[in-house]
Amino acid sequence: MSSNQKDTIYRGQQPANPFKFDEKVAAVFPDMIQRSVPGYDNIIHGIQQLAKKFVAANTHCYDLGCSLGAASLAMSQGIEKENCQVIAIDNSEAMIKRCELFVESYHHETPITVACADISDQKIENASMVVLNFTLQFIELEKRQVIIDRIYQGLNPGGVLVLSEKILSPDNLFNQLLIDLHHDFKRANGYSELEISQKRNALENVLVPETIDDHIKRLKQSGFKSADIWQQQFNFCSFIAIK
Ligand code: GEK
């Protein structure tokens, strides 16, 4: 998925407002996520591969917090089985409007249904694949276990959850190193010091990262027997959990 709109939201001095997934963000989102999230393209590509392996005929696939639908399109392109459906959910109207346009303009075999809804209220049924690609980190901490529990309940045996998150290291020195490496990545992608620091402040208390242990514990508590990391670059990590 591409867009030629460059992310310049934090280029000039900005009021110290919390980060929001509004129209301004939706308009530059493909550029923003690629220049800000190390390993994003590899994860999206991997989601297509996983869809090919895990998605069973006559089942649902969910993309929770779909933004513009990159993971939905990847799933749809990877699915080789009959009679499946991809359900893409986001609670930002600006994202959903643009997601509908993206989904219409790319070729895909498996239908994608796009809806504006809160993932905390989303029913998960007859699923063979669920994707939470950098979404759980925006949900209140106390709601996270309930969401993972509901996903576990809605997955069929053998189904897969892909959970990607910005993570914290429990070791302060190592944590700071990962943050520095991430900021180098953003500098190398053309973000200035002002952009990096204003974005960091805007995300404070909006994006709440946890440790790898916190995520694995939560997945195991829901009932997933197999849960581990399949991709990581600096403090951006993707887990797979299989029911
Ligand atoms: C991708 N997965 O390109 N309910 C629904 N959506 C939500 C909620 C909620 N409660 N909270 C936040 N979101 C995408 C990238 S971006 C990640 C996901 C990022 C949505 C929010 O509106 C936004 O579109 C998305 O989660 C997070 O593969 O920007 O770092």
Side-chain angles (χ1 to χ4, degrees):
M1 180 183 293
S2 65
S3 153
N4 43 20
Q5 285 248 81
K6 200 168 164 74
D7 168 24
T8 56
I9 294 173
Y10 292 100
R11 190 161 279 183
Q13 197 78 43
Q14 296 297 309
N17 293 332
F19 185 82
K20 268 207 180 110
F21 290 100
D22 56 13
E23 176 52 34
K24 271 203 297 188
V25 168
V28 300
F29 191 73
D31 179 66
M32 172 184 284
I33 195 128
Q34 288 196 349
R35 290 201 291 138
S36 308
V37 176
Y40 175 78
D41 280 347
N42 288 340
I43 294 171
I44 293 293
H45 183 70
I47 286 171
Q48 182 172 340
Q49 285 177 273
L50 291 173
K52 186 174 167 176
K53 281 193 194 304
F54 281 93
V55 176
N58 309 310
T59 61
H60 298 151
C61 302
Y62 293 86
D63 180 5
L64 304 176
C66 60
S67 299
L68 303 188
S72 295
L73 286 162
M75 278 194 278
S76 178
Q77 282 156 359
I79 295 168
E80 290 183 342
K81 299 291 179 354
E82 299 274 286
N83 195 27
C84 296
Q85 196 190 354
V86 177
I87 298 151
I89 301 292
D90 203 289
N91 69 349
S92 155
E93 275 182 29
M95 287 291 192
I96 285 298
K97 267 196 210 144
R98 284 172 183 269
C99 181
E100 281 167 348
L101 295 177
F102 269 116
V103 163
E104 278 166 24
S105 58
Y106 281 81
H107 170 77
H108 49 88
E109 299 287 331
T110 300
I112 302 175
T113 309
V114 179
C116 191
D118 194 309
I119 68 163
S120 311
D121 307 324
Q122 183 62 38
K123 257 199 187 161
I124 310 288
E125 301 173 307
N126 183 30
S128 56
M129 184 162 181
V130 179
V131 172
L132 273 170
N133 203 33
F134 301 105
T135 305
L136 197 67
Q137 59 195 13
F138 293 106
I139 306 288
E140 293 99 299
L141 277 173
E142 56 282 7
K143 289 190 179 168
R144 294 183 185 181
Q145 185 71 55
V146 178
I147 291 173
I148 301 293
D149 287 351
R150 200 176 303 141
I151 292 170
Y152 180 81
Q153 298 304 331
L155 273 170
N156 298 333
V160 69
L161 165 64
V162 177
L163 169 68
S164 310
E165 290 276 295
K166 186 173 188 181
I167 51 116
L168 277 179
S169 169
D171 178 311
N172 284 341
L173 198 64
F174 192 65
N175 197 49
Q176 195 50 55
L177 173 63
L178 295 182
I179 291 169
D180 289 347
L181 290 169
H182 175 227
H183 289 173
D184 286 345
F185 170 88
K186 292 189 78 168
R187 280 180 204 107
N189 285 332
Y191 285 115
S192 68
E193 298 308 319
L194 180 66
E195 284 177 293
I196 293 171
S197 75
Q198 291 195 118
K199 176 82 177 275
R200 191 175 186 189
N201 293 339
L203 283 172
E204 189 79 33
N205 302 322
V206 175
L207 189 171
V208 180
E210 295 175 280
T211 66
I212 288 173
D213 265 13
D214 292 334
H215 288 295
I216 297 282
K217 265 192 204 134
R218 182 177 295 121
L219 292 165
K220 294 268 161 95
Q221 194 179 317
S222 289
F224 287 104
K225 296 261 176 327
S226 300
D228 213 337
I229 293 167
W230 67 306
Q231 304 208 36
Q232 183 174 0
Q233 200 175 342
F234 311 139
N235 41 352
F236 291 79
C237 189
S238 190
F239 304 84
I240 288 179
I242 302 166
K243 178 159 171 177

